[in-house]
Amino acid sequence: MATWAQFEQSAPAIAAAGRKLIYQFGVGLGYLATVRQDGGPRLHPFCPVVHGGGLYGLIGPSLKRRDLLRDGRYAIHTCNPKDVDDEFYVTGTARRIKDAETIAGVRATYLSTGATSSDDEFIFEFDIERCLLATYKTRPSWPPKYSKWAAS
């Protein structure tokens, strides 16, 4: 597993394109897939946060929070831009962060994008195992150019 900073250092072009897709609407937006108790997938709208070399999320009381506390495996997929179908996908394992300084920093970064908080969220860091960037020339276009990265 790797942190966002390690991924960014190892694959700067993929990381830059991924960050651009995450923050294309100002606040980070995408979808978070978690693992239900029965082993099936569960998909949630989600606001990822890149902060201080890590990839984080503020997760309120919800099924996705229960899923991550029980089984930290996740996948994050960005929303597509308006004019092209580019996409960025990250997988790995999430873990709850309890360090007050990190929590305050992640929350401040999140709020600085114009997002709101209910102050009852847990902060999770998303350790990265694999990333996939798919870029398209125009819409529609096939096949995309795939750029892959995996933690060593």
Side-chain angles (χ1 to χ4, degrees), residues 82-86 135-144:
K82 283 184 176 185
D83 299 330
V84 69
D85 290 331
D86 290 358
T135 53
Y136 299 77
K137 293 179 183 170
T138 59
R139 178 182 274 168
S141 97
W142 191 260

Side-chain angles (χ1 to χ4, degrees), residues 2-90:
T3 64
W4 181 269
Q6 291 165 328
F7 159 57
E8 197 168 41
Q9 183 177 9
S10 178
I14 298 172
R19 184 189 291 253
K20 183 177 177 182
L21 286 168
I22 288 170
Y23 286 109
Q24 66 184 302
F25 301 106
V27 65
L29 287 176
Y31 294 94
L32 172 66
T34 59
V35 180
R36 295 187 322 230
Q37 192 167 1
D38 67 3
R42 190 186 319 267
L43 189 64
H44 322 265
F46 172 67
C47 297
V49 179
V50 179
H51 168 79
L55 178 61
Y56 297 92
L58 288 76
I59 311 291
S62 63
L63 294 172
K64 64 185 159 193
R65 181 159 91 183
R66 272 192 270 164
D67 290 347
L68 290 174
L69 289 170
R70 188 192 69 261
D71 180 337
R73 292 178 293 168
Y74 77 89
I76 296 171
H77 193 285
T78 59
C79 299
N80 295 51
K82 283 184 176 185
D83 299 330
V84 69
D85 290 331
D86 290 358
E87 51 194 312
F88 179 65
Y89 169 82
V90 181

Side-chain angles (χ1 to χ4, degrees), residues 125-145:
E125 183 170 10
F126 295 90
D127 293 327
I128 301 170
E129 183 178 4
R130 297 181 186 282
C131 296
L132 174 70
L133 174 67
T135 53
Y136 299 77
K137 293 179 183 170
T138 59
R139 178 182 274 168
S141 97
W142 191 260
K145 176 186 173 199

